[in-house]
Every structure is written in structure tokens, then in C-alpha cells.
Amino acid sequence: MFLKPLIIFLHDSCLALISLLFHGRNSEDAAGVPKRIEASSIINGVRISIDTSWGRQLRSLLIVPIFKCLVALCLILSLLVFIEGIYMNLVVLYVKLFNRKPEKVYKWEPMLEDIELGHETYPMVLVQIPMYNEKEVLQLSIGAACRLIWPLDRLTVQVLDDSTDETIKELVNAECAKWESKGINIKCERRDNRNGYKAGALKQGMKHSYVKLCNYVAIFDADFQPEPDYLQRSVPFLVHNPEVALVQARWRFMNANKCLMTRMQEMSLNYHFMAEQESGFIRHAFFSFNGTAGVWRMAAMEEAGGWNDRTTVEDMDLAVRASLLGWKFVFFNNLAVKSELPSKFKAFRFQQHRWSCGPANLFRKMIVEIIRNKRVTIWKRLYLIYSFFFLRKIIVHSFTFFFYCVILPTSVFFPEVNIPAWSTFYIPSIITLFIVIATPRSFYLVIFWILFENVMSMHRTKGTFIGILEGGRVNEWVVTEKFGDALKTKLLPQVGKSRIGCFERVNSKEMMMGIYILCCACYGLAYGNTLLYIYLFMQAAAFLVSGVGFVGT
């Protein structure tokens, strides 16, 4: 007899408070909204009422000003991101107009044999292939490395196999034995643990005696397949330019047409190489090593301290340390290496977590070292801190999620807060146009790309905060699932047999965000005076579709 009236009283009170805090009409009297609202109930025959007029004062004095401050902050960040994007694309335009190819910036001459010395004019090159239970791609990656055109007595292929499956170990051994019988100097190295993951494997691989004889090391992940002339085109930059530490090739995606998710990944990564890598190379001779499809000078790696497993982005860690010592990097845009994009949504989420958490954590650990460094110019240090880390590795992810997925949907409850059109339409349209230029064939997918990127920004933001605060998943490393040619061969039925239960497919974070944005869209449709609800309905659909697992293969 007591609980039921109490529950009704609390229910009415909460509804009244929510109505006061989020009712966005300015002309309350005209709309029939009373200035003083009371929530009442009867408990044991006694009428109890509360005066909720304080809620409207709380809204006007606290909630609205806070929301305005958040909007202003987002507008400032939007301008910073826009200016950075404009500047990077102007640099790319300069490269195209003045033909600033790597061969024009640095000395490049083909490697030639000496009549007397023969192959001894060629430097010793080590090719490393780190892998972990890569059943579907091990033959492709090992075969591609062994087909590289380079004198056999000047080339060593090192397979760093951390596999735990005995069957896969036997397959790796058989593949190495096959190429060894063809005259390839190939080594298969294994550890008794997986400490440090990929960085630990690469570090252990550098300790073998035959590695000390090598001048350069080329690294290819298990799903990367270089063309036979890769070394012939990249190594001369290192041979003829002693100040160059790294030559990085771009990626070309074999399975970009597999599904809509891989098409959108292709758009993002093509822009990354076209704008971020190209502009960093031309401006400061620095960009982040991508962890694969690159050739390093051994002396530069040793001077920088070698591989370090303190973060999940050991490649970026090494690149930043080498750059702070004055070494220069070359980005070879015309040299492409075939690779594979993750085609499953869960695998893509794990990859994006690592790619956002690692840089943020590295920034936390290296910010003081960068500031105190005296071997490079102050402009390069500012570029590293502000442009490379702060804007592109931290702000972009957080800004995208909070502005487009939180602030904009919530703005339907605050019509008195004006969000200018340039921040919601013009700037995003220009930035999106830049990104589409990198992949013209996917122009018609631009709407899907925007919505999907906003969905993924939630995971990138989470990873960024985990990295900055060193949360529990800061060192999480999940190997990205690969299929190689499995989806084109008889393995297709076996790959498709793995069934996932309905509840296992549901992604709760996407579902919650989708439901919230959907509620905002419905409110905007009912009470708003703009067309923002159209975007909100589409964004809610993108979150909900991702939430039920209908993304990828």
C-alpha cells in the first residue's frame, strides 16, 4: 500500500524533471507550457507535491551554458582539423604540380653489378616475415618474399613464426624447406613465448649472428605480398643517401571489393597515404612507419635503440625515436605492396582499437622526450607534438565522435543553442571531398563512408582514452584475422560454416548509441525546426546495423 504510491510519485517527478531540463521551447506561454510545474501523488491519503520550477532555472543557468561551451569547443577543434586538412592537401597539390617524386628529392640510381666484384656491390638484405597462426596466408607471404629479385647470396629470408598450432608449424616448415631446396637462404626462427607480440618477435630475430652481416632489413606482415622488383626499387634510396633510414611503400588492397566495409576502409587508407604520408615526407621527411612494406637501415635502427614493446605500435615508436636522432624517411607512393583488409567487423574493431590506443599511449610516454630533444629543429618537434600526435592521433577521433554522434543529436533539445552551418555541412563536405579524391571510384559510397566512420569513431575514441590513461586494455593485441585466397577457393564453404549466435553478433555499445540517436531524431522530427533529423535517422540506422552485426562478411 505504501510502495505503489511512492513509485508513482517518483515516476511523475522524474518525468517532470526531464521535461523541464530538455524542453527546448523559448515561447513557453504560447506553447502552453506552464512556468511552474508540479509533480504530485497521494501517499496514504496525503497529497504530496514538489515544486519543480527550479529545474528550469537549472537548465538556463547551468545546463545550457555548459552545452554552449561544449559546442564552442567543438567548433574550435573543427577549425583546427579543417586547417590541418587544407594544409596537407595543399602540400599534396604542390607535389603533383612540381613533380616532387622521391627520385627528384633524393638520389636514386639502379643497382648494377661490377665486372670484377660481381654481386658484392649489392648490400646484404634481410627480409623478415613475422606471423602467428597464419594458415591462410603463410604460403603467399613466404612465396612472395622468396621471389624478390636480388642476388641469392646477398639475401636472407627470416620467418619469425610465433604459431601455437602444431599443424601450422609443420606447414611453415614445409614451405621453408621447399624454398630452401630452390637455393633461397631462408631461416625459420621460433620462440618459446610470445612476450612483446610482434615487437618481441622482431627484436628476438635481430639477435641471430647472420643478421649482423646485413645492411638493411625489409619487413612484411604475413598478409603482404611484395612485387618481385620491390628491393630493386627501394634499396637504392638507402644506398645512395646515407641520411635516409627508412623507405616506406604504400599498400594496395587485394580484397577491397569483398564487401562494403572493405570499400570504406580502402577510402580511409588511400587518403592516409595520399595526404598524411605524402605531406609528412615532403614537409619534414618524417611520417609513421606502417609496420610493414618498409625497408630500414640497420645502423639507424640500432642507433634508435631497436624494437620496443612498451606500446602496441612498435613501428611508430621506432620511427619517432629514429626521427628525433635526425634520420630522414622516404615515402615511395609509386611502389605498392599487395595486402589484405579485415573483412569481419569484429576483426576491424580490434585493429582500430590497437591503431588508436597505441599512438595515444606512445604520446603519453614520449611527450617529454620530444620536448627535451635538441638534435632536431623546434619546427619538427612542434610538428610531432601538435600535428602528428595531438591533432591526428587524439583530437580527430574524439572530436568526430563527440561532435557528430553526441553534441549534434543532443542539440535537438537545445534550440536556443545555435550550431553554425559551416561546422555541420561546409567543412565536413570539403574534408570528405579531399578523402574521396584519393579513391574516385568510390565517390558514390561517400554517404555510407561518413556514417560508418562516425560509428568507428566511438571505438577509436575509447581506444584513445585507454591509451592516454593507460587503462586495462592498453596493451591488448588481437591478431587481425586473415583469409588470403580462402574466399576465392574451395575453402569458402569451410570459412562460411562458422556460425555465430544471435546474441554473440549483437554489439551493445553500437546498439545503445543507435537507440539514443534514434530518440533524438524522433524528437527533432516532432519539435525541431531544422532538417537535422534526416542525418540523425541515417546515423542511428548506421549504429543499429553495426549493433546487430550486419557489417562485413
Side-chain angles (χ1 to χ4, degrees):
M1 293 179 62
F2 175 77
L3 287 179
K4 185 175 180 180
L6 179 60
I7 292 174
I8 296 175
F9 168 72
L10 294 175
H11 174 266
D12 292 345
S13 302
C14 291
L15 287 180
L17 179 60
I18 292 173
S19 175
L20 289 167
L21 295 182
F22 293 101
H23 202 289
R25 294 182 177 86
N26 291 323
S27 54
E28 297 170 353
D29 294 335
V33 180
K35 293 183 179 179
R36 189 172 185 273
I37 302 177
E38 295 183 352
S40 62
S41 184
I42 299 177
I43 300 180
N44 293 334
V46 180
R47 182 181 180 87
I48 300 177
S49 62
I50 60 172
D51 183 3
T52 57
S53 59
W54 61 271
R56 192 162 301 282
Q57 296 178 359
L58 178 65
R59 170 189 167 88
S60 60
L61 296 178
L62 180 62
I63 297 179
V64 172
I66 290 177
F67 190 75
K68 286 183 177 180
C69 291
L70 293 175
V71 170
L73 177 62
C74 287
L75 295 181
I76 294 172
L77 296 179
S78 179
L79 285 174
L80 295 179
V81 172
F82 177 67
I83 293 171
E84 176 72 9
I86 290 290
Y87 183 58
M88 287 193 299
N89 283 274
L90 286 176
V91 173
V92 173
L93 181 62
Y94 164 77
V95 171
K96 302 299 181 184
L97 291 178
F98 294 92
N99 196 26
R100 299 292 291 172
K101 295 181 180 180
E103 301 93 324
K104 303 289 185 180
V105 179
Y106 293 95
K107 183 180 179 181
W108 186 95
E109 294 178 0
M111 299 298 300
L112 299 174
E113 292 186 20
D114 188 90
I115 298 177
E116 297 181 357
L117 299 177
H119 292 161
E120 292 185 10
T121 57
Y122 284 78
M124 292 287 293
V125 177
L126 174 71
V127 178
Q128 290 184 314
I129 310 174
M131 58 175 57
Y132 172 73
N133 291 337
E134 309 286 2
K135 180 180 179 180
E136 288 76 14
V137 296
L138 66 89
Q139 291 182 335
L140 297 174
S141 58
I142 295 176
C146 293
R147 293 188 187 95
L148 290 170
I149 301 174
W150 203 255
L152 296 183
D153 58 335
R154 314 297 289 176
L155 178 68
T156 301
V157 178
Q158 185 186 63
V159 179
L160 302 171
D161 185 26
D162 275 357
S163 299
T164 55
D165 190 309
E166 294 299 327
T167 302
I168 297 177
K169 288 183 179 180
E170 293 178 2
L171 291 174
V172 173
N173 291 336
E175 190 67 17
C176 292
K178 182 183 77 173
W179 286 102
E180 188 176 15
S181 65
K182 296 181 180 181
I184 302 297
N185 182 18
I186 184 170
K187 310 286 186 182
C188 181
E189 308 292 353
R190 291 192 173 92
R191 304 184 293 166
D192 55 3
N193 59 70
R194 288 195 66 220
N195 295 340
Y197 303 106
K198 179 182 174 181
L202 292 170
K203 186 176 183 179
Q204 184 67 28
M206 300 293 285
K207 296 181 179 180
H208 298 279
S209 58
Y210 58 86
V211 174
K212 306 299 181 182
L213 303 175
C214 298
N215 306 104
Y216 310 111
V217 53
I219 303 168
F220 300 101
D221 283 349
D223 57 321
F224 279 72
Q225 302 165 39
E227 297 296 331
D229 63 347
Y230 176 87
L231 294 178
Q232 291 180 316
R233 299 178 64 186
S234 59
V235 172
F237 283 108
L238 297 166
V239 172
H240 300 299
N241 302 276
E243 74 276 15
V244 173
L246 166 69
V247 178
Q248 172 73 60
R250 67 168 299 149
W251 301 353
R252 181 161 56 90
F253 312 106
M254 300 179 294
N255 65 333
N257 295 324
K258 182 59 59 181
C259 61
L260 184 60
M261 190 182 77
T262 54
R263 289 289 297 273
M264 291 184 287
Q265 289 180 66
E266 181 192 33
M267 295 173 66
S268 299
L269 289 172
N270 282 347
Y271 177 74
H272 164 72
F273 286 109
M274 183 197 78
E276 295 183 11
Q277 301 285 82
E278 190 83 66
S279 62
F281 161 55
I282 295 297
R283 283 190 291 175
H284 300 282
F286 169 79
F287 48 85
S288 176
F289 174 45
N290 296 125
T292 180
V295 186
W296 274 92
R297 185 186 299 273
M298 287 284 198
M301 294 182 67
E302 293 175 1
E303 186 182 359
W307 297 105
N308 194 318
D309 60 359
R310 57 181 172 176
T311 67
T312 56
V313 284
E314 71 292 327
D315 44 10
M316 185 182 295
D317 190 348
L318 177 60
V320 173
R321 283 185 279 118
S323 176
L324 292 177
L325 294 174
W327 290 98
K328 297 181 179 179
F329 302 161
V330 172
F331 175 64
F332 202 169
N333 187 58
N334 292 331
L335 180 60
V337 178
K338 293 187 292 185
S339 64
E340 180 181 337
L341 293 166
S343 58
K344 288 189 174 182
F345 186 50
K346 187 175 182 180
F348 183 54
R349 285 176 56 184
F350 281 127
Q351 182 198 70
Q352 294 302 297
H353 170 81
R354 188 171 74 248
W355 286 4
S356 56
C357 178
N361 189 235
L362 181 63
F363 181 58
R364 171 192 173 109
K365 293 179 177 179
M366 291 203 70
I367 176 66
V368 176
E369 182 180 348
I370 296 173
I371 294 174
R372 291 179 177 177
N373 184 276
K374 302 298 182 183
R375 298 187 62 171
V376 297
T377 64
I378 187 173
W379 297 112
K380 190 167 187 176
R381 282 179 281 159
L382 286 175
Y383 168 76
L384 278 171
I385 295 173
Y386 172 75
S387 180
F388 181 76
F389 275 115
F390 181 69
L391 267 185
R392 283 189 261 151
K393 306 303 179 185
I394 298 177
I395 292 300
V396 167
H397 305 321
S398 306
F399 160 74
T400 301
F401 173 66
F402 284 112
F403 187 56
Y404 296 107
C405 301
V406 178
I407 297 296
L408 276 184
T410 308
S411 68
V412 299
F413 302 115
F414 299 93
E416 62 268 42
V417 179
N418 179 43
I419 301 180
W422 59 261
S423 66
T424 59
F425 181 77
Y426 297 111
I427 283 182
S429 298
I430 295 174
I431 294 177
T432 303
L433 180 62
F434 290 151
I435 294 171
V436 171
I437 290 175
T439 315
R441 74 187 188 98
S442 299
F443 180 80
Y444 66 98
L445 297 175
V446 63
I447 299 298
F448 297 100
W449 178 85
I450 293 171
L451 300 175
F452 183 69
E453 279 294 295
N454 289 343
V455 172
M456 293 311 302
S457 69
M458 177 178 66
H459 298 286
R460 294 173 184 141
T461 301
K462 179 183 176 183
T464 299
F465 277 101
I466 290 176
I468 288 290
L469 303 175
E470 288 200 328
R473 293 178 58 195
V474 67
N475 290 319
E476 180 184 60
W477 183 292
V478 179
V479 177
T480 305
E481 187 176 9
K482 308 172 186 72
F483 294 105
D485 288 340
L487 296 177
K488 301 179 182 178
T489 64
K490 295 179 181 179
L491 292 176
L492 180 59
Q494 301 175 11
V495 173
K497 280 183 180 179
S498 58
R499 295 182 178 179
I500 303 176
C502 295
F503 292 104
E504 293 180 7
R505 292 178 62 97
V506 173
N507 303 304
S508 58
K509 300 180 184 66
E510 286 88 344
M511 290 297 295
M512 289 189 291
M513 284 302 306
I515 292 172
Y516 173 71
I517 296 176
L518 181 61
C519 293
C520 295
C522 293
Y523 188 92
L525 176 62
Y527 300 106
N529 53 5
T530 66
L531 299 178
L532 179 62
Y533 64 87
I534 298 177
Y535 157 74
L536 296 181
F537 275 121
M538 292 191 295
Q539 190 62 71
F543 270 101
L544 293 174
V545 168
S546 302
V548 295
F550 289 153
V551 178
T553 57

